[in-house]
Amino acid sequence: SRGRLPGERDSAAAALLARLNGADARVLAPLPESPPARTAAQRQAADIRLVSVDPDDGPALYRAACDVLLTAPAGAASVAAAIAGVPLVHLPPEHDFERQTARYFAAHGMSLSANSLSEAASLALSLANDADVQEAMLSAQRGAFVPDAAERIVRYLHEGRI
């Protein structure tokens, strides 16, 4: 969820935490780059369900550990989630590029897209509990990417086709 304001990330985590039942669930939330004086994450500090992570500390690891990833519909984050095979819920878009990304991924069955943080939390919980929808989404993600794309690009460059 890079590129979002710190308060928005906290609000997304707070919206999700408000809907979680029991202490078994966990919400990974990136640490804000410039946190406000009192963040929602700090207010939730006693809640063991909230785990803060530094976005620069192995994003692939925490992405792979997610049952469902909520992220801004930025191109790189969305593609990385799809390549990793993680069910994906897009947070509300902030500008045209994010709207286009969310629309594309949702239209191709690779994500669910929310119009509000509350809806994102509801979609994430619903997706986490629906194995059929998850499998359909993961299948769509797998079908959208060429498995040997990196090798093909390197071969193309090596052969001097640019």
Side-chain angles (χ1 to χ4, degrees):
S1 61
R2 284 173 98 70
R4 294 252 181 233
L5 297 173
E8 290 180 274
R9 282 186 281 227
D10 294 337
S11 296
L16 189 55
L17 284 169
R19 287 168 177 72
L20 291 175
N21 295 321
D24 292 349
R26 297 289 181 270
V27 174
L28 292 175
L31 292 169
E33 293 174 17
S34 54
R38 181 89 170 127
T39 67
Q42 289 167 327
R43 290 190 297 278
Q44 301 282 344
D47 192 332
I48 63 168
R49 300 173 304 164
L50 180 65
V51 179
S52 294
V53 294
D54 186 326
D56 296 326
D57 286 347
L61 293 176
Y62 70 79
R63 190 171 37 250
C66 291
D67 293 324
V68 174
L69 180 68
L70 284 86
T71 187
S78 300
V79 169
I83 290 171
V86 178
L88 181 61
V89 174
H90 281 129
L91 296 172
E94 292 182 347
H95 48 73
D96 286 340
F97 176 75
E98 288 188 350
R99 263 185 288 290
Q100 290 172 359
T101 301
R103 206 173 302 132
Y104 178 87
F105 272 73
H108 289 85
M110 296 187 294
S111 75
L112 299 177
S113 187
N115 294 314
S116 69
L117 296 175
S118 178
E119 183 184 7
S122 294
L123 287 171
L125 290 176
S126 175
L127 182 56
N129 292 310
D130 193 330
D132 293 336
V133 173
Q134 282 184 36
E135 185 49 43
M137 184 179 289
L138 296 177
S139 178
Q141 290 174 351
R142 284 188 300 269
F145 297 99
V146 178
D148 64 343
E151 292 174 19
R152 293 168 76 184
I153 290 169
V154 169
R155 188 175 335 116
Y156 185 83
L157 293 171
H158 182 71
E159 293 171 356
R161 295 189 196 180
I162 279 194

